[in-house]
C-alpha cells in the first residue's frame, strides 16, 4: 500500500501570530496519529513554521520552487533554499500556478527535476477544469499532465514523486468530487504509473485535493487509490485539519 500523506496547502494565508496558534493546535492534535503530515506554507513563514515544528513529526513544505538553480531571478525561491530552511516537500504545478502564472507542463517538469535534485519530494498537482470534465476530456487532460512529468524523469526519481489529483472545479468551491469520481481518476493515474514503474507504482502516494474537509475525508480515504489529501481551506483550522489527519490515520 502506498504511503499515506496529508499535506496542508495554506496558499497565501497566514501571519506570524496566527501561524503560531495554528501550528500549535495541529502539533497537539496529530501527536498520537500515525499518518504523515506536511505543512506547505508561504515562503516568508517557512523559517518560523520550521522552528515551531522542530523536533516534532510534521514535515515542512514550500508551495512552489524555481526551475533555476540560483542567480538573477528576482522573486524566485530555489530548491536549495527550501532545503536550507528545513523543507522536505514542495508543491509543484498547482492549478493556481498554471492558471495565474502561465506554468506549462514543460516548466512543471523542470521544477519537479530541480526539487528532486535537491532532495525534496515534489507534490505534483494535476487536474481538469469543469469544461474539460463536461466535455469528457478528464482522463486525457490528467494523463497528459502526469505523463509529461513522469516521461521526463529517470525511474529512481519518478518513484519519489507524490501526485495530487485536484479537479479545478472542486478547489475552494465546497463541491468536492464524490469518492467514486475521485477514485476513477486515481485508478487511471495508478494504471498509467504501472506502465511506467511496474509494481512500484503501488507505492506512489496519490492524494486527492479539492474541498476536502472533516466531513468528507473518511469516505474519500476509503477508496482504494486515494492515499491521502492535499488540503487548502480546511487546513487553516487546526481542529478541522486534525480531523482529516485522523481519518487518514484510520484508513
Ligand atoms: P481547497 O481545499 O480549499 O478546496 O483547496 C484545495 C487545494 O487547492 C489544495 O492545494
Amino acid at each position: 500500500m502506498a504511503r499515506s500523506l496529508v499535506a496542508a496547502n495554506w496558499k497565501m494565508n497566514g501571519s506570524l501570530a496566527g501561524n503560531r496558534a495554528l501550528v500549535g493546535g495541529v502539533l497537539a492534535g496529530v501527536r498520537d496519529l500515525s499518518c504523515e503530515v506536511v505543512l506547505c506554507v508561504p515562503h516568508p513563514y517557512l523559517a518560523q513554521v520550521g522552528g515551531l515544528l522542530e523536533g516534532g513529526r510534521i514535515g515542512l513544505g514550500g508551495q512552489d520552487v524555481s526551475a533555476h538553480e540560483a542567480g538573477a531571478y528576482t522573486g524566485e525561491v530555489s530548491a536549495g533554499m527550501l532545503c536550507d530552511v528545513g523543507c522536505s516537500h514542495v508543491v509543484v504545478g498547482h492549478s493556481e500556478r498554471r492558471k495565474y502564472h502561465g506554468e506549462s507542463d514543460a516548466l512543471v517538469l523542470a521544477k519537479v527535476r530541480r526539487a528532486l535534485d535537491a532532495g525534496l519530494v515534489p507534490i505534483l498537482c494535476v487536474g481538469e477544469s469543469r469544461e474539460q470534465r463536461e466535455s469528457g476530456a478528464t482522463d486525457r487532460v490528467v494523463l497528459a499532465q502526469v505523463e509529461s512529468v513522469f516521461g521526463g524523469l529517470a525511474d529512481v526519481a519518478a518513484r519519489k514523486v507524490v501526485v495530487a489529483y485536484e479537479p479545478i472545479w472542486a478547489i475552494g468551491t465546497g463541491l468536492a468530487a464524490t469518492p467514486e469520481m475521485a477514485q476513477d481518476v486515481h485508478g487511471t493515474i495508478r494504471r498509467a504509473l504501472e506502465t511506467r514503474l511496474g509494481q512500484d507504482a503501488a507505492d506512489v502516494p496519490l492524494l486527492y485535493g479539492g474541498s476536502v474537509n472533516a466531513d468528507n475525508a473518511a469516505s474519500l480515504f476509503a477508496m482504494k487509490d486515494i492515499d491521502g489529501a492535499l488540503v487548502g481551506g480546511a487546513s487553516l483550522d487546526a481542529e478541522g485539519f486534525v480531523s482529516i489527519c485522523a481519518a487518514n490515520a484510520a484508513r
Side-chain angles (χ1 to χ4, degrees), residues 9 11 94 96 166 170-172 210-212 230-233:
N9 177 7
K11 307 193 181 186
H94 192 282
E96 288 151 13
E166 298 205 312
I171 294 177
S211 297
V212 175
L230 182 55
V231 186

Side-chain angles (χ1 to χ4, degrees), residues 12 63-65 75-76 93-105 107-108 111:
M12 199 171 70
Q63 297 177 7
D64 182 35
V65 62
E76 295 240 61
H94 192 282
S95 59
E96 288 151 13
R97 302 282 325 164
R98 294 180 192 256
K99 179 174 175 193
Y100 303 129
H101 302 273
E103 294 199 5
S104 63
D105 284 342
L107 181 61
V108 171
K111 291 183 172 200

Side-chain angles (χ1 to χ4, degrees), residues 5 9 13-14 69 111 114 118 148 151 168 194 197 199 226:
L5 170 65
N9 177 7
N13 295 290
E69 191 173 1
K111 291 183 172 200
R114 270 300 164 208
S148 69
I168 295 167
E194 275 163 10
L197 298 173
Q199 285 186 347
I226 302 182

Side-chain angles (χ1 to χ4, degrees), residues 27-95:
L27 272 172
V30 304
R31 197 169 28 223
D32 299 322
L33 299 179
S34 59
C35 70
E36 190 179 352
V37 181
V38 173
L39 304 184
C40 300
V41 312
H43 292 152
Y45 297 130
L46 283 169
Q48 180 212 11
V49 173
L52 294 169
L53 296 177
E54 211 164 293
R57 45 172 300 281
I58 299 182
L60 182 68
Q63 297 177 7
D64 182 35
V65 62
S66 176
H68 303 285
E69 191 173 1
Y73 299 101
T74 302
E76 295 240 61
V77 170
S78 74
M81 292 171 187
L82 293 176
C83 290
D84 207 15
V85 295
C87 287
S88 51
H89 290 68
V90 63
V91 175
V92 183
H94 192 282
S95 59

